[in-house]
Amino acid sequence: MNGKLWIFMCAVIGVFILSCAPGEKPSELVQPENWWENLPRPVYATLENAGTFQSWFEVYKLTEGTYAIYEPYQFEEAMSYLVLGKERGIIIDTGTGIGDLKQVVSELTDLPVSVVNTHTHFDHVGNNYQFEEIAIYEDASEINRLIEGIDNAFLQRHISIESLWKPLPEGFDPKTWTIPPVEPTYLLDEGTTIDLGGRILEVIHTPGHSPGSICLLDPDNRILFTGDTFFPGPLYAHASDVNIDDYMASIEKLTSRIHEYDFLCSGHNDPWVNSEVIPRVGEAFETIFEGGGNFDEDDGLRRYYFDGFDILIRTDMIK
Ligand SMILES: [Zn+2]
């Protein structure tokens, strides 16, 4: 075993000992063993790499003033986006909170930057507390999750040995990791516009993945920031927050506006996806509910396979 590998193994074992909280191991259908073996995803060879920060983030410049800030070493492969206008910027989601996102942002821009959350699952709000201005869709359950924060016990399984393939960054303490409570400072509604100075984004309410999920449309750059409403991985239609009818209606809503965007900046895995996939997600749900599609099943959970994405759904949701 070479030195670097040994240090890595010690770090991982250390993290494992510290983080070996009881709790169910996620199904193989949700989190396959050695999920990192397929990384890096092919898209990254085609993007402009803006550098690696704190050995934790990779940053890609997508267009002038649009950066994907990616966390490839933790299973969620969380993705935040720095979107800059002439006068100010926003950070769309703030990742897991494992790295120092504010520091990365300050190395990319001098403009004032506020947070816009696509929804409030832990891997999208982890660094909110580092910023003063925080916007969220006007939905009580999303607002409450921000105000309550998320405790260390809940977060432990996300830094288990199965969920990481690189050491955690220096200065991060798995024993004290929490998502600190924050108060939203601005509430968003359907159609709210966010003016960054020469660049205006529109809020599109897309409930389904969670009640207050939003997408953000950047019409001049023909980009749709999708949060978790779409990402090129297993879409979570099985989770407790999901409303499947709302989810399908939201995909239909995005399909009706597909002439307004060419690329999707998604909440996980891949920051630059061709928009043609959106109507196919609607068709995929229809296929599933008509009894078609290829899937694997385990303990009441099915993973359906489609071209460019999968769908996780509970068997009892189909019958
Ligand atoms: Zn989510």
Side-chain angles (χ1 to χ4, degrees), residues 22 155 172 180 255 291:
L155 294 169
F172 174 82
T255 299

Side-chain angles (χ1 to χ4, degrees), residues 63-74:
T63 71
E64 207 53 51
T66 311
Y67 296 88
I69 305 176
Y70 175 45
E71 300 180 52
Y73 309 132
Q74 194 274 341

Side-chain angles (χ1 to χ4, degrees), residues 25-38 75 162-163 234 236 303 305 310:
K25 203 179 155 201
S27 164
E28 268 284 304
L29 295 181
V30 179
Q31 182 170 328
E33 206 173 329
N34 300 344
W35 53 272
W36 53 81
E37 284 175 348
N38 293 327
F75 171 67
E162 298 92 0
S163 298
Y236 283 21
R303 181 165 177 158
Y305 302 99
D310 299 337

Side-chain angles (χ1 to χ4, degrees), residues 10 38 50 52 80-81 113 145 188 195 258:
C10 288
N38 293 327
T52 302
S80 307
Y81 294 93
V113 172
R145 191 151 40 204
L188 304 166
D195 189 346
I258 198 161

Side-chain angles (χ1 to χ4, degrees), residues 51 66 90 169 172 197 212 275 281 309:
T66 311
I90 53 170
F172 174 82
S275 62
V281 176
F309 63 97

Side-chain angles (χ1 to χ4, degrees), residues 17 44 93 111:
I17 291 165
Y44 290 97
D93 292 339
L111 292 172

Side-chain angles (χ1 to χ4, degrees), residues 126-195:
N127 284 96
N128 277 12
Y129 74 95
Q130 296 186 303
F131 296 84
E132 279 167 24
E133 307 269 330
I134 298 164
I136 184 75
Y137 186 80
E138 191 175 18
D139 173 89
S141 65
E142 307 277 1
I143 294 167
N144 285 341
R145 191 151 40 204
L146 282 189
I147 290 173
E148 284 168 13
I150 301 173
D151 65 21
N152 183 266
F154 173 90
L155 294 169
Q156 281 299 322
R157 92 176 154 79
H158 298 288
I159 44 172
S160 68
I161 196 165
E162 298 92 0
S163 298
L164 295 170
W165 63 283
K166 290 264 176 106
L168 292 162
E170 213 176 304
F172 174 82
D173 183 356
K175 293 192 298 286
T176 58
W177 181 33
T178 62
I179 310 288
V182 293
E183 292 273 348
T185 57
Y186 191 83
L187 297 179
L188 304 166
D189 206 344
E190 171 74 10
T192 300
T193 53
I194 300 168
D195 189 346

